[in-house]
Amino acid sequence: MTRNNVALLGATGSIGRSATAVLSCCKERFNVPLVAARSSIDKLAGCAGQLDAQMVLTTDDTKLDELSSLLPPGVQALSGMDALIETVTSDKIDTVLCAIIGTAGIRPVLAAIEAGKTVALASKEVMVSAGELVNAALKANPRARLIPVDSEHSGVFQALAGRRKDEVETIILTASGGPFRTWSAEQIATATLEEALDHPTWSMGQKITIDSASMMNKALELVEARYLFEDYHAKLDVLVHPQSAVHALIGLTDGSLIAQCAIADMKLPIAYALTYPERVALPVEKLSLAAMGKLEFSAPDRKRFPAFDFADAALSAGGTLPCAMNAANEVAVERFCAGEITFGSIYRIIEKVMSAWHNEPQISLEQLDEADAEARRRAREVKL
Ligand code: NDP
Ligand code: MG
């Protein structure tokens, strides 16, 4: 079997750890020439050792010496975004698994698409902020492929396999509801960091865990779905489903719903994106619906979770507004984690930035960089 040469970006994070487990349990299928991250140099060197990576890259140039000192002879240390782009577009790489948090993943993802690579995409911010540019790059480079890793989008992708586009009427993402699913609006407004980090079903990085509590994760995912599944022209919807067993459903013209179910473990969607259209045996627990007993579903409460209004605005406007929503949310979450603002103020900051936004169609990366910086500046200045 020819091995798939995978570049793992964001190797030191929560998705990076799950990806390392998948890649190291299927060494006959995968070669990992490159692992990359930014600041966690010890972890990065450890991950490189586990995966026998020949190249190890930090995007922070000031960390290159520290990284070099930790690598064995023969393993190359690299640094900087330009080196990252050069490596992921080289003929040493077939597939780029992007799990860099935030918008730093946009450049390597676009470059990989332009070089005709397969991109397995966990970084939802890439599609949220730059979905129009990514789709234009995919159309211009038909050899390239983009496969979602985000669990709900992987669920949709799996349910859509082999389906005619005009048969699909709705795409439904599920949401666990997070730790505040049953809380009142007043309780949510004053929730603490510890309470927001107490996710009932998924174990994830800090930022996305806070986003799950505010439901901004689902707002981002609706926009992500709009761009990932643009060609289906399907209505997008969300169902709150506290058991996190069903990750997504598609609704067909005859009224059938096709659901994708599995345990809540990111190793599954990561492996599927890397082996698509094949599947591999994974060292994960199997979902037992009998043991779970009951599955519950309800419509999200839009009054307690204004994130859905932001999603509606971003979905109908497109352009640079989703980028502004994402940037404002990132700053608001940083301010909340720093103890500067209350949980409820996250919504106020996003609302202020989005309602005053001068929207434009997406035309270039430079324009998106400016929009991103402007939205961040405004989000930092919002007085509460
Ligand atoms: P983490 O915070 O756990 O990890 C983030 C990773 O990104 C780290 O490896 C970090 O490196 C790296 N990174 C950050 N900035 C840069 C940069 N400028 N250049 C290179 N690497 C960088 O995040 P998660 O793993 O939770 O999430 C990663 C992405 O996957 C996010 O976009 C998230 O929305 C998405 N996702 C995550 C899920 C989950 O279960 N965790 C589920 C679905 C989607 P370092 O630490 O070394 O600085
Ligand atoms: Mg998700």
Side-chain angles (χ1 to χ4, degrees):
M1 182 188 290
T2 344
R3 290 200 295 170
N4 185 351
N5 294 303
V6 179
L8 173 55
L9 318 187
T12 55
S14 161
I15 292 282
R17 272 195 305 282
S18 296
T20 302
V22 169
L23 291 163
S24 46
C25 84
C26 306
K27 285 203 168 162
E28 71 295 349
R29 277 183 173 263
F30 303 115
N31 176 39
V32 186
L34 172 73
V35 293
R38 186 180 49 185
S39 329
S40 316
I41 301 303
D42 274 355
K43 281 193 204 161
L44 182 59
C47 166
Q50 226 178 314
L51 294 172
D52 302 321
Q54 300 92 52
M55 292 174 288
V56 188
L57 186 146
T58 162
T59 51
D60 182 348
D61 290 318
T62 67
K63 305 251 187 231
L64 180 61
D65 289 345
E66 186 188 345
L67 178 61
S68 302
S69 71
L70 294 175
L71 300 178
V75 176
Q76 194 183 359
L78 298 161
S79 76
M81 191 49 89
D82 290 346
L84 179 61
I85 287 173
E86 196 179 314
T87 316
V88 298
T89 54
S90 74
D91 57 12
K92 295 185 178 120
I93 303 297
D94 305 311
T95 299
V96 177
L97 170 49
C98 183
I100 294 177
I101 195 153
T103 47
I106 295 177
R107 278 199 161 75
V109 164
L110 279 175
I113 292 171
E114 280 155 17
K117 309 291 179 191
T118 295
V119 175
L121 186 65
S123 310
K124 62 191 77 186
E125 301 87 349
V126 170
M127 281 322 262
V128 173
S129 297
E132 292 174 24
L133 295 187
V134 171
N135 283 343
L138 284 167
K139 285 209 175 75
N141 298 279
R143 266 190 324 120
R145 279 198 311 197
L146 184 72
I147 305 180
V149 169
D150 206 346
S151 57
E152 299 78 1
H153 305 75
S154 172
V156 174
F157 185 72
Q158 295 180 50
L160 287 173
R163 197 90 38 206
R164 268 190 10 221
K165 292 200 169 62
D166 62 354
E167 289 174 350
V168 182
E169 272 184 353
T170 48
I171 287 179
I172 305 169
L173 311 179
T174 63
S176 71
F180 306 151
R181 181 172 58 87
T182 57
W183 288 31
S184 69
E186 295 69 35
Q187 287 173 306
I188 296 171
T190 56
T192 65
L193 177 60
E194 202 188 1
E195 288 165 337
L197 287 175
D198 186 21
H199 198 281
T201 50
W202 288 95
S203 155
M204 307 178 287
Q206 170 161 300
K207 154 76 173 42
I208 182 173
T209 306
I210 305 279
D211 287 347
S212 299
S214 68
M215 288 278 191
M216 277 309 292
N217 185 45
K218 223 39 64 176
L220 297 170
E221 290 185 350
L222 281 164
V223 180
E224 183 187 12
R226 172 216 158 126
Y227 291 117
L228 281 172
F229 307 113
E230 188 169 61
D231 291 349
Y232 287 84
H233 305 289
K235 182 175 169 294
L236 298 173
D237 212 344
V238 170
L239 269 179
V240 175
H241 166 49
Q243 291 80 17
S244 297
V246 177
H247 302 300
L249 305 97
I250 58 168
L252 304 178
T253 37
D254 64 358
S256 295
L257 286 173
I258 312 280
Q260 190 268 337
C261 315
I263 63 153
D265 186 326
M266 288 307 295
K267 290 200 264 319
L268 271 95
I270 292 168
Y272 187 66
L274 293 175
T275 60
Y276 170 80
E278 292 170 18
R279 290 179 189 264
V280 283
L282 285 174
V284 295
E285 213 185 300
K286 299 275 193 307
L287 176 68
S288 164
L289 291 174
M292 206 162 244
K294 65 173 180 183
L295 301 181
E296 296 159 292
F297 299 93
S298 60
D301 182 341
R302 303 176 67 104
K303 281 215 179 73
R304 286 184 300 130
F305 295 103
F308 293 102
D309 293 338
F310 305 145
D312 285 349
L315 285 169
S316 63
T320 55
L321 190 63
C323 170
M325 176 178 82
N326 176 65
N329 178 53
E330 279 190 29
V331 170
V333 171
E334 276 163 28
R335 290 181 67 178
F336 172 70
C337 291
E340 222 181 279
I341 62 166
T342 61
F343 193 80
S345 301
I346 294 177
Y347 298 128
R348 285 210 285 287
I349 290 176
I350 302 167
E351 199 277 322
K352 286 241 161 66
V353 172
M354 287 183 80
S355 59
W357 193 250
H358 172 71
N359 200 29
E360 288 175 341
Q362 278 178 36
I363 47 169
S364 68
L365 262 180
E366 293 66 32
Q367 171 216 28
L368 284 180
D369 281 345
E370 275 173 33
D372 185 86
E374 178 61 20
R376 280 171 205 272
R377 192 184 60 71
R378 292 189 195 180
R380 277 188 203 101
E381 285 172 3
V382 171
K383 300 270 180 301
L384 298 154

